[in-house]
Amino acid sequence: MAYVVAEPCVRCKYTDCVDVCPVDCFHEGPNFLVIDPKACIDCSLCVDECPAGAIFAIEHLPDKYEKYITLNIELSQSWPLIHSKIDPLEDADDWVDVEDKFHELRLS
Ligand code: SF4
Ligand code: F3S
């Protein structure tokens, strides 16, 4: 696995990442996206597109986000694919700079 969506995406879901991805990597949950590591071709295009700075190459993933590696693997198996950009969550701009919002992550 090379690229991981981490905590800054929670409650934002801007989805700019989806439009630049050349393959079907992104899966959508209620207030978070994940990358399917089996589909990702490590192109890195999504990293600079995310307004929240939520996407990291695994070797650059901050230690505090380590649990997101497993979350991307597991949730990409059950959440549906998203193929194109949609509107961000209504209060995304209020949440983008909030730290420690793991407890806000909705699984269903
Ligand atoms: Fe898609 Fe490339 Fe990002 Fe992987 S690194 S999720 S292939 S845009
Ligand atoms: Fe999330 Fe950033 Fe994509 S906020 S939906 S990883 S553009």
Side-chain angles (χ1 to χ4, degrees), residues 35-101:
I35 291 171
D36 178 356
K38 297 194 303 301
C40 178
I41 59 170
D42 303 349
C43 72
S44 82
L45 289 174
C46 55
V47 174
D48 288 340
E49 290 302 312
C50 176
I55 305 174
F56 297 87
I58 198 163
E59 61 268 30
H60 297 137
L61 186 70
D63 289 346
K64 63 181 177 180
Y65 296 149
E66 195 178 344
K67 58 179 167 287
Y68 285 87
I69 297 173
T70 304
L71 285 168
N72 277 246
I73 294 170
E74 293 184 351
L75 295 173
S76 64
Q77 301 306 302
S78 55
W79 284 355
L81 272 170
I82 175 171
H83 298 284
S84 54
K85 179 173 167 54
I86 58 173
D87 287 340
L89 296 177
E90 198 173 322
D91 53 356
D93 292 347
D94 295 334
W95 282 95
V96 66
D97 293 323
V98 174
E99 298 277 338
D100 300 327
K101 50 182 177 173

Side-chain angles (χ1 to χ4, degrees), residues 9-19 28-33 51 82-93:
C9 179
V10 173
R11 292 202 69 157
C12 293
K13 211 166 78 167
Y14 287 107
T15 71
D16 302 74
C17 53
V18 178
D19 263 358
E28 183 186 11
N31 65 2
F32 186 58
L33 252 59
I82 175 171
H83 298 284
S84 54
K85 179 173 167 54
I86 58 173
D87 287 340
L89 296 177
E90 198 173 322
D91 53 356
D93 292 347

